[in-house]
Amino acid sequence: MIDGVTQASNLAVHPEIDIISLEKNESFVAVIFQDTPILHIDNFYDFIVYWNGDQNANFTDDHCNQGHIISQTKLVNSTSGIIVNTKINNTIEMFGNTIYYPILNASLITTDLEPINANMDTRHRNNGTDFYRDVLEYITRNVPRFIFLLSIVGITTFAMTIIMTKKKKERKN
């Protein structure tokens, strides 16, 4: 991007910020890159995941660039009382082409660590307004009305098939 405008796509210029995949277990999220991430003032590796419904209140937020490595998990209960709000510096680990982001206080997350929204955002800044960027976003799509509608259509189709088959048999007799 130059002055906030995308100039081109599919550029293989900064593979240290190109996200390949994201893996999650009970205590951390591993983000795998095309090349070894470079801890530098101009490279940003930011990850945030929202838990348990209210994305403004329940989250794990990790930021990693030279001089600023911090992890935070904040969880609130149904009455907005804070369960935990933990910030820790220097907890993010880099090994090879993978960055490991901790899920602080993971045992307190009550939805089996199923996020409602997660976002991995990487940037390489050339100067104040020019930068390269890669984003991986995960959004849970809960569509109960669609599933209900699909069920009704399926049951109706099945019932109509049985009725039509019986009518054909009656006509032949």
Side-chain angles (χ1 to χ4, degrees):
M1 299 186 89
I2 298 175
D3 293 325
V5 177
T6 301
Q7 302 299 310
S9 60
N10 299 322
L11 297 174
V13 178
H14 292 282
E16 73 275 10
I17 66 162
D18 289 338
I19 306 163
I20 292 177
S21 66
L22 183 141
E23 298 171 9
K24 176 183 70 68
N25 76 10
E26 294 80 28
S27 59
F28 66 85
V29 173
V31 181
I32 297 99
F33 296 88
Q34 184 176 346
D35 202 353
T36 303
I38 299 171
L39 192 57
H40 188 272
I41 194 70
D42 289 327
N43 288 352
F44 301 86
Y45 301 93
D46 299 329
F47 176 74
I48 189 162
V49 59
Y50 301 103
W51 313 103
N52 304 346
D54 183 0
Q55 69 181 34
N56 297 316
N58 298 300
F59 61 86
T60 296
D61 193 6
D62 297 290
H63 300 281
C64 185
N65 81 318
Q66 185 179 11
H68 187 73
I69 300 174
I70 190 162
S71 299
Q72 177 182 8
T73 293
K74 181 181 177 190
L75 302 171
V76 300
N77 60 25
S78 61
T79 61
S80 298
I82 294 176
I83 298 169
V84 67
N85 188 6
T86 305
K87 279 187 183 179
I88 301 177
N89 291 314
N90 300 318
T91 56
I92 299 167
E93 302 283 337
M94 298 173 111
F95 294 107
N97 67 335
T98 305
I99 298 178
Y100 296 91
Y101 296 95
I103 301 172
L104 304 173
N105 303 103
S107 64
L108 300 175
I109 298 170
T110 60
T111 57
D112 299 324
L113 293 176
E114 285 304 319
I116 62 163
N117 187 352
N119 187 301
M120 180 67 206
D121 187 349
T122 62
R123 296 170 310 285
H124 170 80
R125 179 177 59 194
N126 286 335
N127 60 44
T129 60
D130 299 354
F131 63 93
Y132 295 87
R133 183 177 190 194
D134 196 9
V135 176
L136 184 147
E137 187 170 24
Y138 168 85
I139 300 172
T140 301
R141 302 205 188 276
N142 188 0
V143 286
R145 283 186 234 144
F146 175 74
I147 293 169
F148 175 76
L149 179 63
L150 190 60
S151 299
I152 294 298
V153 169
I155 290 169
T156 303
T157 303
F158 182 69
M160 292 301 291
T161 303
I162 291 172
I163 292 169
M164 297 301 281
T165 304
K166 283 185 177 183
K167 282 188 177 184
K168 280 186 178 180
K169 284 183 182 180
E170 288 175 3
R171 284 186 202 157
K172 287 183 181 180
N173 291 336

